[in-house]
Amino acid sequence: MEPSNNTQISRFLLLGISKEAEIQSLIFGLFLSMYLITVFGNLLIILAVSLDSHLHTPMYFFLSNLSFVDICFTSTTIPKMLWNIQTQSQVITYEGCITQMYFYILFAELDDILLTVMAYDRYVAICHPLHYMVIMNLRLCGLLVLISWVLIALYSLLHSLMVLGLSFCPEMQISHFFCELSQVVQLASSDNFLNNIVMYFAAVLMGVGPFAGILYSYSKIVSCICKITSAQGKYKAFSTCVSHLFVVSLFYFTALGVYLSSAATHTSHSSTVASVMYTVVTPLLNPFIYSLRNKDIKGALKRFYFMPRLKDQIP
């Protein structure tokens, strides 16, 4: 097949999770349910933080941003997959593929950066409690989120522009349910050496860097907690970090699972299945982890639920 310039590409084919027609309805129902639960759960977190004045703190400000990013993250991949199953089509346009790739990288890396910022927030709260509100003021919190968005938007734009410079053969098949960067780059008919170098260097930088920041923050947190004399004080300090630790562990273990499955098994199907944990299950579980392990969130959700009833009873 003769290679063609990327401007002549009209579409890619997303092969999805499974080629078996018998289970397509099951996959559609399962992923639709997970998507709706993810959106609903994260929206509840955002509403609780927005409407309850008790939650207008840096910790919950970052949490609401994380919930918003998780909604956007799943929305970049799942609706298109559901649409393809419903229409019995595997097609995604060249422009749609590049756009999906851009937003997937954007929101995946924003998840990573926000978890790092939240670890720093917990470090300041536990190690410098008397100066917490001074250090983590509204301006700094807004600046941290704004810088994260700008840097990751440029980072995602870099990858997307480099892919635009590649050439592809017509109607290329992607063994995934979304346009994943590394798979698209490997399908190029032109030289992709520079893309691979930038991709792996950026993966190390954006993976190891934030993770090192989280480890540093928690090393300081553990050191501060060990200095607390009372067992109740230690428990109270550690309890503020439990939900975040669960989310960090889930995020990095699933991301590591995706990497190891693609590196160890040379089969695209195993990598696709592992990616489901990273792209779907993690955003799905985040609101449950924070709501079930957090008394403030549960209290806010209860007040949010009972408030309309109380208003109806007031004459």
Side-chain angles (χ1 to χ4, degrees):
M1 187 181 292
E2 292 295 326
S4 62
N5 187 270
N6 55 6
T7 57
Q8 297 174 336
I9 293 289
S10 59
R11 62 184 189 174
F12 288 99
L13 297 181
L14 296 173
L15 299 186
I17 295 176
S18 174
K19 297 180 181 179
E20 299 180 21
E22 300 80 14
I23 64 170
Q24 293 303 308
S25 297
L26 176 63
I27 293 174
F28 180 87
L30 179 63
F31 277 80
L32 177 61
S33 301
M34 290 194 294
Y35 178 66
L36 292 177
I37 293 172
T38 300
V39 172
F40 180 71
N42 283 289
L43 275 177
L44 278 181
I45 298 291
I46 295 172
L47 283 173
V49 174
S50 302
L51 298 177
D52 196 314
S53 59
H54 298 92
L55 302 183
H56 292 174
T57 63
M59 174 183 173
Y60 295 110
F61 170 72
F62 295 131
L63 176 58
S64 62
N65 276 274
L66 182 67
S67 294
F68 173 74
V69 169
D70 279 341
I71 292 173
C72 297
F73 186 34
T74 53
S75 297
T76 60
T77 58
I78 304 304
K80 177 57 181 174
M81 186 191 73
L82 296 175
W83 175 259
N84 282 4
I85 293 175
Q86 186 67 21
T87 59
Q88 298 182 350
S89 170
Q90 297 176 322
V91 173
I92 183 171
T93 63
Y94 175 76
E95 295 80 7
C97 187
I98 300 297
T99 303
Q100 187 183 66
M101 186 192 309
Y102 172 83
F103 284 108
Y104 177 84
I105 298 171
L106 173 68
F107 294 121
E109 293 301 333
L110 274 172
D111 253 352
D112 196 7
I113 297 298
L114 283 173
L115 289 174
T116 308
V117 171
M118 292 171 75
Y120 173 73
D121 172 71
R122 292 299 84 206
Y123 155 71
V124 176
I126 294 173
C127 300
H128 305 283
L130 298 178
H131 302 95
Y132 175 68
M133 293 309 298
V134 176
I135 298 173
M136 299 302 295
N137 56 71
L138 182 62
R139 181 180 178 183
L140 178 63
C141 294
L143 194 61
L144 287 173
V145 171
L146 178 62
I147 291 174
S148 299
W149 274 89
V150 172
L151 289 180
I152 302 304
L154 294 175
Y155 168 82
S156 183
L157 183 62
L158 171 65
H159 283 297
S160 301
L161 290 176
M162 293 192 69
V163 172
L164 283 172
L166 297 174
S167 297
F168 299 89
C169 297
E171 204 169 88
M172 297 297 294
Q173 293 184 345
I174 300 174
S175 302
H176 224 307
F177 62 93
F178 65 94
C179 290
E180 200 266 332
L181 174 63
S182 62
Q183 288 204 26
V184 174
V185 169
Q186 300 314 315
L187 290 174
S189 57
S190 58
D191 183 21
N192 59 10
F193 177 76
L194 182 60
N195 293 74
N196 284 321
I197 293 296
V198 172
M199 185 170 57
Y200 290 124
F201 176 77
V204 171
L205 180 65
M206 299 305 295
V208 176
F211 186 63
I214 292 173
L215 287 180
Y216 177 79
S217 295
Y218 273 101
S219 68
K220 293 293 186 181
I221 289 171
V222 171
S223 177
C224 288
I225 291 177
C226 289
K227 295 177 182 177
I228 300 175
T229 55
S230 67
Q232 185 179 1
K234 288 182 179 181
Y235 174 79
K236 185 177 180 181
F238 182 73
S239 63
T240 64
C241 304
V242 171
S243 297
H244 182 257
L245 277 173
F246 270 121
V247 173
V248 168
S249 301
L250 186 64
F251 181 87
Y252 278 100
F253 278 125
T254 52
L256 184 63
V258 172
Y259 173 77
L260 291 178
S261 65
S262 59
T265 66
H266 299 287
T267 59
S268 57
H269 183 262
S270 60
S271 176
T272 302
V273 173
S275 296
V276 172
M277 288 293 297
Y278 180 69
T279 58
V280 183
V281 177
T282 300
L284 170 70
L285 293 180
N286 283 357
F288 290 100
I289 292 171
Y290 274 104
S291 60
L292 294 176
R293 297 286 308 179
N294 192 297
K295 293 181 179 179
D296 293 333
I297 292 291
K298 286 192 288 187
L301 290 175
K302 287 178 181 177
R303 287 189 290 272
F304 177 68
Y305 176 75
F306 287 115
M307 190 175 293
R309 296 188 177 187
L310 291 174
K311 287 183 178 178
D312 291 339
Q313 294 176 3
I314 297 175

